[in-house]
Amino acid sequence: DRHLAERGQILTYTHPNRGEVKMPAPPIHMSASAVDVVRAPLLGEHTGEVLGAELGLSQSELRELADRRVLALGETPVEAHA
């Protein structure tokens, strides 16, 4: 809707798998409180980082768990859909 877009109610961001995505903006705008809109993480995107830091798992241990399908270590972005 052009009216919503002109009032800043439609945001556009780039998703690694889906390309350009439009979504509703936060309904309340405050001049001194800008809100950054970020995408949700992909499945497993931060798994290696978190388990490495919190549990001390090495890259080889993480890869072994991923190979055994115990956890996901992030999705490879695919070509954007039109």
Side-chain angles (χ1 to χ4, degrees):
D1 180 289
R2 188 185 61 149
H3 176 71
L4 291 175
E6 288 173 1
R7 295 185 51 80
Q9 292 300 306
I10 305 294
L11 296 178
T12 302
Y13 70 96
T14 302
H15 187 277
N17 288 348
R18 306 210 185 276
E20 189 174 278
V21 176
K22 293 183 181 188
M23 63 178 273
I28 299 171
H29 299 264
M30 294 195 243
S31 60
S33 300
V35 176
D36 291 329
V37 176
V38 296
R39 67 171 177 82
L42 299 174
L43 177 64
E45 183 173 354
H46 301 112
T47 301
E49 179 183 345
V50 171
L51 294 179
E54 297 297 322
L55 301 179
L57 296 178
S58 68
Q59 289 296 321
S60 62
E61 291 170 314
L62 292 167
R63 177 55 39 212
E64 180 183 342
L65 291 171
D67 290 345
R68 292 175 31 207
R69 298 177 153 241
V70 174
L71 53 82
L73 287 178
E75 296 181 349
T76 302
V78 296
E79 189 174 314
H81 302 286

